[in-house]
């Protein structure tokens, strides 16, 4: 896998674990080589609560992906979500020793690393430091300061924070499953890469990823991530309500939701009935689709209102004017019938369902373009872009070494090896953190 530009995205969800292995074809599209799915047994609301069961589910998904693709999986890009995730805004600056030199990647990296050293609440760890905009010597609204002259470099950052123990538990599961952790990323950011266009990110868009245990929100404006939030409930609470409201078992409730469920009660007539087999010779249960959709509607409204509150909390201007591209729904919950219409009704914002098929090659299975695979596709994209960067950096190092040799100048390999991206350095730091935790 190290010599080929092949990557693996591992989506550890509350309801299912997906391992997706793929590579980029000559047109830049993703060719999925294999996919493995397993029922997620040890995860609750995006957080690992049973290490042994989670390891078994990961191994099951990985083995399935390996057998389909005929590739041995060594390292994975993992998504992180869960109710422990929070975000904050922070401003920071550095003073450059020589303002006669232009700002380069090293200056930007120094500023970002400085934010990584922020003191968090006990038990918390910074996951992402995402620059919003820069200032150079007081000149504001700079998107790319590289190449400019200046003595003081400032930036506004969106900082994503998570519980150390939760992050460590995910790392432990990956390691115990016999895999290496290539990188860890916030799930709504991965989903956004898979289903949003650059035009939508520029215009302003809210991505709502309705998963089994959590509903993730990511807001983009001017091509930059502006706000992230994790709502601690998703599709599972709808299933739970159906189970309680109809007095049936969870498996039947999930089937009812996916096959006959609708988020809009007005659609069903009173005489539309579905019969559920009784347990151990008991009489079958008859459930009206009207009643079923009323149960689903009540819970979906609650989820959407919570998300809409988060959207309204973003900024002081009127949200609808800010987010021209409206809302994009993705995740397994986005497949619920009439959810698009309900979201439009509650928020008054244009809404569409986000499918990750834009980035997939034509030969990909139709099932993979489903919204429930958006996070896995996004994680795979992150992994492939990391592979691409690694190969470019190796080529640069080799070129530099060759040039240096030709010019007969002394050049130590260390200076070349140290030219790692922030992305890789954070992964190295995290792996070191896991090893020390043992």
């Amino acid at each position: 896998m190290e010599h080929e530009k092949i990557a693996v995205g591992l989506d550890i969800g509350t309801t299912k674990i997906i391992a997706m292995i793929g590579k980029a074809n000559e047109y830049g599209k993703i060719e999925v080589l294999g996919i493995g799915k397993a029922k997620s047994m040890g995860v609750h609301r995006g957080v690992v609560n049973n290490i042994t069961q989670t390891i078994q589910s990961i191994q099951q998904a990985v083995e399935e992906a390996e057998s389909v693709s005929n590739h041995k999986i060594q390292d994975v890009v993992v998504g992180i979500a869960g109710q422990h995730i929070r975000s904050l805004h922070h401003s920071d600056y550095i003073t450059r020793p020589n303002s006669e030199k232009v700002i380069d990647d090293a200056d930007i990296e120094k500023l970002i690393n400085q934010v990584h050293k922020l003191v968090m609440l006990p038990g918390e760890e910074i996951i992402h430091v995402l620059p919003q905009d820069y200032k150079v010597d007081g000149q504001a609204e700079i998107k790319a300061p590289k190449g400019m002259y200046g003595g003081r470099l400032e930036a506004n950052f969106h900082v994503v924070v998570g519980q150390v123990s939760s992050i460590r538990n995910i790392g432990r599961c990956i390691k115990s499953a016999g895999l290496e952790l290539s990188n860890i990323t916030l799930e709504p950011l991965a989903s956004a890469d898979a289903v949003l266009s650059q035009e939508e990110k520029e215009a302003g868009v809210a991505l709502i990823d309705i998963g089994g245990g959590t509903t993730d929100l990511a807001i983009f404006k001017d091509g930059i991530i502006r706000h992230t939030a994790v709502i601690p409930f998703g599709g599972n609470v709808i299933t739970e309500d159906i189970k309680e409201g109809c007095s049936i078992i969870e498996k039947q409730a999930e089937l009812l939701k996916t096959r006959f469920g609708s988020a809009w009660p007005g659609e069903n007539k009173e005489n539309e009935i579905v019969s559920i087999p009784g347990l151990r010779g008991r009489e079958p249960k008859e459930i009206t689709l009207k009643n079923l959709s009323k149960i689903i509607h009540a819970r979906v409204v609650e989820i959407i209102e919570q998300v809409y509150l988060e959207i309204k909390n973003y900024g002081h201007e009127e949200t609808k004017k800010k987010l021209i591209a409206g809302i994009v729904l993705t995740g397994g919950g986005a497949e619920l019938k009439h959810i698009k219409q309900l979201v439009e009704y509650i928020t008054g914002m244009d809404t569409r369902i986000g499918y990750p098929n834009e980035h997939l090659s034509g030969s990909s299975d139709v099932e993979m373009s489903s919204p429930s695979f958006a996070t896995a596709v996004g994680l795979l994209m992150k992994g492939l872009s990391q592979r691409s960067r690694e190969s470019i950096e190796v080529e640069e190092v080799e070129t530099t070494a060759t040039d240096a040799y030709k010019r007969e100048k002394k050049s130590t390999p260390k200076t070349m090896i140290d030219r790692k991206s922030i992305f890789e350095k954070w992964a190295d730091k995290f792996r070191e953190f896991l090893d020390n935790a043992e």
Side-chain angles (χ1 to χ4, degrees), residues 94-104 107 110 136 148-153:
I94 56 164
T95 306
R96 301 178 67 240
N98 188 355
S99 59
E100 296 303 310
K101 273 189 171 180
V102 295
I103 295 165
D104 59 13
D107 294 310
K110 185 182 174 185
V136 177
M148 297 179 75
Y149 289 101
R152 180 184 165 107
L153 176 65

Side-chain angles (χ1 to χ4, degrees), residues 235-290:
N236 278 7
V237 290
I238 301 170
T239 307
E240 195 64 34
D241 279 9
I242 295 168
K243 179 182 143 185
E244 296 295 324
C246 302
S247 302
I248 53 177
I249 60 171
E250 194 173 326
K251 192 178 175 182
Q252 292 171 335
E254 183 64 30
L255 275 169
L256 266 182
K257 181 181 79 174
T258 52
R259 284 194 191 174
F260 303 103
S262 166
W264 201 267
E267 191 226 356
N268 299 113
K269 297 182 180 73
E270 294 286 356
N271 61 353
E272 288 180 299
I273 291 168
V274 63
S275 183
I276 303 286
L279 297 173
R280 298 279 288 196
R282 292 176 178 84
E283 288 292 309
K285 272 194 170 63
E286 289 191 343
I287 294 157
T288 67
L289 293 188
K290 185 95 171 171

Side-chain angles (χ1 to χ4, degrees), residues 161-233:
V161 180
Q163 283 289 335
V164 173
S165 56
S166 299
I167 301 166
R168 189 190 295 169
N169 286 339
I170 285 178
R172 181 64 58 243
C173 291
I174 301 298
K175 214 168 182 183
S176 301
L179 302 164
E180 284 293 316
L181 187 67
S182 168
N183 194 48
I184 193 162
T185 191
L186 193 64
E187 288 196 354
L189 298 183
S191 304
D193 284 347
V195 302
L196 297 181
S197 68
Q198 193 53 42
E199 288 82 6
E200 284 175 318
K201 289 180 183 178
E202 287 287 342
V205 66
L207 175 81
I208 302 172
D209 186 340
I210 307 169
T214 59
T215 299
D216 304 331
L217 170 70
I219 296 175
F220 291 84
K221 178 74 178 165
D222 300 325
I224 298 163
I225 181 84
R226 299 293 184 182
H227 185 65
T228 52
V230 177
I231 313 297
F233 39 79

